[in-house]
Amino acid sequence: MQYITGFEHYKEEARTAITLGKFDGLHRGHRKLVERIMEHVEQDPSLKSVVCFFEMTEFKKMRHLDQKKLMMNEERALRLEGRVDYLIECPFLSVKEMEAEVFIEKILSGLFHARYIVVGENFRFGHERRGDVEMLARYQEQYGYRLEVIPNEYYGDRIVSSTYVKEVMRTGNIDLVNRLLSYPYTIVGTITKGEGLGRRIGYPTMDIYPCQEKILPPSGAYVCKLQVDKEWYQGVCNIGQKPTVSDQEETILSVHLFCYEETGEADGKPVVLQLYHYLRPEEKFEDVEELKQQIQDDIREGKRHFLLTMESRRTLLEIKHKNEEKN
């Protein structure tokens, strides 16, 4: 996959199957759009698959809007790597004043040579958001593309949207967040050398300082996995300020892995953290011994979570195999 920032750097001449949007979180609804353009490329290998996302940071700064994101740009690239041909980052301010008809002519047709345009039913674009799916449909014959409008994805009676995922995130229900996303909530970062207290009390940790724009669930302990040196390890993570041993106000992700012996050598390494399950709120304990006891309890519950998950998967596979045998 090629990651390109700005339309001016896109030079591909092949026709495309393209989807466009903000794609904050790449949730279940977004996934349907991406999978559809991938299907078009599978059916016609002469096409290139393009995901074009509008980068809203500078626009939100200008409007003094909340800049918190479910997904940083690097995380979006990791999620789409190996799936699509191009990921295009379009600074929203660069197209905000462009008339919708001009966007269709110059960008969708002229630049991307669109053969298929796949969007959600609420997609809007162009100056004052005048462009919509009805306008895209009207210009199909003129510019030689086919429009596909994918219906909204629902969870119960709620439309799956980035706004809904953020709403759930604030409650700490990371299990539901992951169901809405269709993958574990992911945070990319770098290991930062801490004070070494975890190692001294027998539970070494790795500290990660998240990007300020990244949305985090409420402070507390979570079951997690961490990828370091391309290998995944199970563990538990505390999100917060370490109130028992520190007076700092900055949020830290402090991760203890069950089976990783080189914690002290991980400083400065890039990592990918995935959150799976909420365990408890962050607490300030009376002393280090009480903290140690709680860490032991968290580790036990974390291991239990992964064991139950494995057993559930095994049961589902057994049911699936039995059904296949019957058929």
Side-chain angles (χ1 to χ4, degrees), residues 85-305:
D85 295 306
Y86 290 95
L87 175 61
I88 312 295
E89 175 185 333
C90 171
F92 180 68
L93 290 178
S94 70
V95 296
K96 177 179 175 294
E97 302 300 326
M98 185 179 293
E99 293 296 337
E101 294 88 349
V102 175
F103 188 85
I104 295 172
E105 177 188 2
K106 300 294 185 184
I107 304 301
L108 295 178
S109 179
L111 178 65
F112 289 117
H113 316 296
R115 177 67 184 88
Y116 297 97
I117 298 175
V118 180
V119 294
E121 58 184 275
N122 299 322
F123 179 65
R124 304 297 291 262
F125 64 101
H127 183 55
E128 297 183 345
R129 294 166 51 86
R130 285 185 53 247
D132 56 15
V133 295
E134 292 182 2
M135 179 183 287
L136 285 171
R138 288 201 304 271
Y139 284 96
Q140 287 183 100
E141 296 301 322
Q142 181 174 341
Y143 292 110
Y145 60 79
R146 193 174 90 193
L147 174 68
E148 293 186 13
V149 180
I150 305 300
N152 289 326
E153 178 80 359
Y154 281 83
Y155 186 86
D157 60 352
R158 291 290 301 270
I159 295 174
V160 177
S161 66
S162 301
T163 299
Y164 180 34
V165 178
K166 291 177 183 178
E167 179 184 316
V168 175
M169 181 74 76
R170 295 187 188 100
T171 72
N173 189 348
I174 202 70
D175 298 75
L176 178 53
V177 166
N178 292 347
R179 287 197 292 274
L180 296 174
L181 293 174
S182 77
Y183 63 88
Y185 192 61
T186 301
I187 302 163
V188 171
T190 303
I191 298 298
T192 302
K193 186 175 179 59
E195 298 177 358
L197 175 64
R199 179 174 294 279
R200 292 197 297 274
I201 66 176
Y203 299 100
T205 59
M206 302 181 189
D207 288 347
I208 305 168
Y209 288 85
C211 177
Q212 300 247 331
E213 294 176 6
K214 179 73 175 183
I215 293 176
L216 297 176
S219 295
Y222 294 81
V223 180
C224 70
K225 285 185 180 180
L226 189 78
Q227 185 188 53
V228 56
D229 294 329
K230 298 184 179 181
E231 295 290 336
W232 285 99
Y233 301 89
Q234 298 175 352
V236 289
C237 171
N238 184 78
I239 299 177
Q241 289 80 36
K242 299 183 180 179
T244 304
V245 298
S246 174
D247 295 326
Q248 70 173 20
E249 297 182 358
E250 192 172 7
T251 297
I252 304 174
L253 310 180
S254 187
V255 183
H256 171 75
L257 302 180
F258 303 150
C259 300
Y260 186 76
E261 305 299 330
E262 302 175 10
T263 302
E265 300 175 16
D267 298 329
K269 290 185 176 180
V271 293
V272 180
L273 176 70
Q274 293 182 337
L275 301 178
Y276 283 82
H277 180 67
Y278 174 75
L279 291 173
R280 59 173 177 83
E282 185 175 47
E283 303 176 55
K284 183 172 183 178
F285 298 99
E286 292 296 325
D287 52 41
V288 172
E289 286 303 314
E290 189 176 346
L291 172 62
K292 285 175 62 176
Q293 182 59 53
Q294 184 60 66
I295 293 174
Q296 291 174 5
D297 293 344
D298 292 343
I299 291 172
R300 183 175 62 252
E301 287 302 309
K303 290 181 177 179
R304 181 171 175 270
H305 170 84

